[in-house]
Amino acid sequence: MRDLLFPPKCSACGQLLDWMPEATASTPIRAALCPACHKKWENERLETCGICAKPINECSCMPKILQTAKCKGFYKLVYYEAQKVAPVQNKILYHIKRKRDVHAIRFLSTELATSVEELIQAEELAREDLVITYLPRTHAARLEFGTDQAEELARELADVCGLPMVQCIRRRYFFNGKQKRLSYTRRIKNAEQAFLPSRDVSCKGKTVLLVDDMVTTGAGAARGTKILRRAGAKAVYCFAIASDIVNKDTVR
Ligand SMILES: [Zn+2]
Ligand SMILES: [Zn+2]
């Protein structure tokens, strides 16, 4: 019914969607991208990391600041390059940030879920020890766009993986700075002050999967990792849709 009132459109190019991909019983996802954009997205996913030369899904490179915070692994779907001529990743990121695009969020969460399952297998993690959390957006941004894309991604990812989603990190209320306009050092300093542990949620003894939509400097994710570890998390792994390849501090 909703699709009749709001015909489904491609999250990247805006073209009307007239195809429905195969949906499985466990993950009934509807298309977020048209066939052409989906193909482009798949190609972007196949790109190799400029630092370790591995395909992005096997790459474990992370900003140094994240490594220093003792993040155990950093999983991303794509590397982000602002200079690139409008690839699908840029558009889909923009789309989930500005609009409440549930199909795009569902699609990206399903893509991220593959990394989560690979991690569980590779590290032999106990599912009952796992929780998913996220790095909350500023209150101002939440009001402006009516959504917190990191929270929605985390909720969907938890749903797809059958894991609990808990809010372990909160934003300091009076912090309204716009990260985007700030210098690298200033962003790191701000991130230090922006996040706090949640008052009544414990992640003690848990392996926490920290979700963010886009990791640029890594300052926010690093701060989040520190908070979770101080709160007693056994291990913290970060998950993002995209990571900024031009981050000068990325290490293997
Ligand atoms: Zn398209
Ligand atoms: Zn790499």
Side-chain angles (χ1 to χ4, degrees), residues 2-252:
R2 203 176 172 272
D3 284 354
L4 286 177
L5 295 170
F6 305 98
K9 287 181 181 167
C10 171
S11 301
C13 71
Q15 185 193 298
L16 282 175
L17 293 176
D18 56 358
W19 73 310
M20 297 287 157
E22 280 177 56
T24 64
S26 58
T27 54
I29 63 157
R30 212 210 56 207
L33 299 170
C34 71
C37 290
H38 193 264
K39 205 175 164 116
K40 279 188 213 157
W41 165 264
E42 297 272 276
N43 287 337
E44 283 167 19
R45 292 278 288 124
L46 288 175
E47 276 176 31
T48 49
C49 168
I51 297 144
C52 69
K54 286 181 185 169
I56 293 164
N57 62 343
E58 289 171 27
C59 148
S60 59
C61 299
M62 62 172 103
K64 197 166 177 226
I65 189 172
L66 207 49
Q67 198 182 55
T68 310
K70 296 209 167 63
C71 169
K72 278 197 85 179
F74 177 40
Y75 298 82
K76 55 257 152 195
L77 293 180
V78 286
Y79 270 120
Y80 176 90
E81 278 178 87
Q83 291 84 359
K84 269 196 186 172
V85 194
V88 173
Q89 44 174 290
N90 293 18
K91 290 194 176 155
I92 204 165
L93 270 166
Y94 180 83
H95 215 75
I96 64 164
K97 215 163 186 150
R98 306 271 150 170
K99 302 175 182 185
R100 245 192 139 87
D101 189 338
V102 286
H103 300 297
I105 286 176
R106 187 84 189 172
F107 166 69
L108 294 168
S109 306
T110 311
E111 298 270 275
L112 274 179
T114 316
S115 308
V116 172
E117 293 304 329
E118 276 168 12
L119 168 71
I120 292 173
Q121 296 254 313
E123 302 287 314
E124 296 178 9
L125 300 174
R127 292 190 91 90
E128 60 271 24
D129 285 349
L130 294 173
V131 292
I132 292 180
T133 196
Y134 64 95
L135 219 49
R137 263 183 122 163
T138 62
H139 299 271
R142 199 187 264 265
L143 277 177
E144 190 179 345
F145 305 114
T147 175
D148 182 334
Q149 71 276 12
E151 180 182 353
E152 290 189 22
L153 275 168
R155 183 165 292 123
E156 281 293 331
L157 183 62
D159 191 40
V160 176
C161 299
L163 294 169
M165 199 280 274
V166 281
Q167 194 190 345
C168 303
I169 299 167
R170 64 191 169 94
R171 274 259 176 192
R172 197 182 283 271
Y173 191 68
F174 53 81
F175 182 83
N176 274 332
K178 286 227 161 90
Q179 283 281 83
K180 212 160 64 180
R181 300 202 189 122
L182 304 171
S183 70
Y184 181 78
T185 26
R186 189 65 200 143
R187 284 180 76 142
I188 288 168
K189 211 171 158 101
N190 267 354
E192 287 290 316
Q193 299 160 353
F195 303 104
L196 295 167
S198 280
R199 286 190 192 91
D200 38 34
V201 183
S202 172
C203 59
K204 204 169 178 182
K206 297 283 183 188
T207 296
V208 187
L209 313 181
L210 176 62
V211 176
D212 199 2
D213 58 321
M214 164 89 199
V215 168
T216 29
T217 60
R223 174 70 185 149
T225 303
K226 277 190 206 161
I227 287 173
L228 295 165
R229 290 185 53 80
R230 263 180 226 149
K234 197 153 65 176
V236 180
Y237 295 90
C238 290
F239 286 82
I241 301 302
S243 174
D244 195 342
I245 190 69
V246 293
N247 185 336
K248 55 187 171 194
D249 267 334
T250 298
V251 290
R252 264 185 220 207

